[in-house]
Every structure is written in structure tokens, then in C-alpha cells.
């Protein structure tokens, strides 16, 4: 295994560093400067025509570039003969894929838009903001219910579905969402944080900004202000 991960300190990037750390695959992380629009430069577009991180390049397959975090998670999971993150057998595989696709199609885009409207354009688009709040809250309730009497989201073990949801749920407070009344979700977050590979993945490509601001409203506000100044509205999606 020999990979390069083009990434930045955002949830979709952390999904992939967490998976790589969990699988113990050899990789180097290259930081892409989103605020400088490096992801829209020709060299990057040749890897991902959509101009967004993450991109994984597989050097053992003629430098094959893989983009879209869900596709990368599947690619990595399928390279692992032990099937640690994604069982090949039906029905387990179908269950994991269902939750993985729910994250990709719903929670990621909804919470990403919520983040942009609530934190970077506050008070400007009330109806849109309310829509993204209610949809994100609804999805958190779906997760809370799913985690009733179970440890992991999609199977009786940790899978790519947990990895896909975690970085977004991890930054819930940055997006104004609370897990205080969601005990199953809070316990799942702690289970995820108990995994050393998850902690390592969250600190790629550099120390996690949410971790250091957590629990300190002033620091969190400073982080939002910095993101706003850099016009990062579209960056955290
Ligand atoms: N659906 C894509 C979303 C990727 C995405 O939105 N990446 C953001 C950072 S998390 C990005 O690169 N934003 C820069 C831009 O939009 O120019 C995935 O899951 O990989």
C-alpha cells in the first residue's frame, strides 16, 4: 500500500485520515490550501475535476486518483483482505452501504449548508437557515434512535459508516447543534474518541482546530471569525 492523501482540516478530509489510520495503511498527507483556492488549480483539477478535497492517490495503481469521500472509504475498505471496515457478505454489506450513503447524501450536505448559513452568513437568510437547522436536527434524531441498544451505526462492529458520520457529528457544536439530550449519540462519540486511530486521524493534516476550541466559547467564536474572514463559506461542506 502506498497512498498520498490530499486533504485539509475539514470533516470530509478527516474521514479518510481516520480510515487510513484504522487500516494502518502507509500514506503521506499533503495539505491543500483551501483559503488560497489551491483546490481549483489545474494540477488539482487533474486529480478531482470537482475541485474539492479529499483526494486519495494510489501509487501502487499507476497513481490512480480517487475522489468523493464515500468512494474513497469504499476503495480503502475493499483493499483490506480482513474486511475490517466493510464486510463483503450480504446482508451486512448492504446495511453499511445504506448508512454510508445516508451520510454522503444527507448529513454532510445539510450540516455543511447549516454551517455556512448559521456561522458565516448569520441573520441573512432566515428561511434557509431554519430549513437546514431542522433537517440537521432531524438527522441527529435518526442517529440517536439508531444507536438505541447498539454500539455502532450499521453493524455489530465499527465500520466505514461510523467513520463517515463521525467527523461531522464531532463538530456538532461548531454548527450550533447539541447532543446534550441525545445520550446514545453522546456515548457513541465517546466510543469513537476511545479509538487511538480516530484521534490520530482527526489531527491530519495538522492539530484539529475544533478539538482545541472545544468547551471554550471565546475560542470557538475566534475560530468562526477566522473562517469567516477567509471566506470559508463553501469550504466546510
Ligand atoms: N462530497 C464531497 C464533498 C467534498 C467537500 O465539500 N470538500 C470541501 C472541504 S470538506 C472542499 O474541498 N471545499 C473547497 C471548495 O468547495 O472549494 C466529498 O464527500 O468528498
Amino acid at each position: 500500500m502506498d497512498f498520498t492523501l490530499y486533504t485539509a482540516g475539514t470533516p470530509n478530509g478527516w474521514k479518510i485520515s481516520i480510515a487510513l489510520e484504522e487500516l494502518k495503511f502507509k500514506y503521506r498527507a499533503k495539505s491543500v490550501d483551501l483559503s488560497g483556492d489551491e483546490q481549483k488549480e489545474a494540477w488539482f483539477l487533474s486529480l478531482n475535476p470537482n475541485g474539492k478535497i479529499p483526494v486519495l492517490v494510489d501509487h501502487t495503481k499507476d497513481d490512480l486518483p480517487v475522489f468523493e469521500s464515500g468512494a474513497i472509504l469504499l476503495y480503502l475498505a475493499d483493499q483490506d483482505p480482513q474486511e475490517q471496515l466493510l464486510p463483503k457478505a450480504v446482508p451486512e454489506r448492504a446495511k453499511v452501504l445504506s448508512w454510508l450513503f445516508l451520510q454522503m447524501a444527507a448529513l454532510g450536505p445539510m450540516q455543511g449548508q447549516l454551517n455556512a448559513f448559521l456561522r458565516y452568513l448569520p441573520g441573512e437568510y432566515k428561511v434557509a437557515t431554519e430549513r437546514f437547522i431542522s433537517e440537521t436536527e432531524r438527522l441527529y434524531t435518526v442517529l440517536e434512535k439508531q444507536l438505541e441498544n447498539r454500539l455502532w451505526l450499521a453493524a455489530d462492529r465499527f465500520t466505514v459508516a461510523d467513520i463517515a458520520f463521525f467527523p461531522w457529528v464531532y463538530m456538532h457544536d461548531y454548527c450550533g447543534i447539541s447532543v446534550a439530550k441525545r445520550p446514545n449519540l453522546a456515548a457513541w462519540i465517546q466510543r469513537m474518541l476511545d479509538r487511538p486511530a480516530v484521534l490520530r486521524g482527526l489531527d491530519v493534516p495538522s492539530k484539529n482546530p475544533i478539538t482545541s476550541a472545544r468547551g471554550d466559547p471565546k475560542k470557538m467564536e475566534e475560530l468562526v471569525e477566522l473562517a469567516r474572514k477567509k471566506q470559508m463559506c463553501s469550504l466546510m461542506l
Side-chain angles (χ1 to χ4, degrees), residues 101-113 135-137 139-140 143 164-166 168-169:
F101 276 68
L102 180 66
Q103 194 289 318
M104 293 301 299
L107 190 82
M110 289 304 137
Q111 192 172 331
Q113 293 298 340
E135 196 50 17
T136 306
E137 290 281 4
L139 288 161
Y140 271 64
L143 295 180
F165 274 99
F166 178 68
W168 284 99
V169 173

Side-chain angles (χ1 to χ4, degrees), residues 10-13 15 34 37 39-40 50-54 67-70 104 168 234-237:
T10 73
N12 291 319
K15 288 175 193 172
L34 298 186
D37 263 351
Q39 74 282 12
K40 303 295 188 253
N50 194 34
K52 288 177 190 276
I53 67 95
F67 58 87
E68 278 296 312
S69 57
M104 293 301 299
W168 284 99
S234 66
L235 302 186
M236 302 291 272
L237 310 185

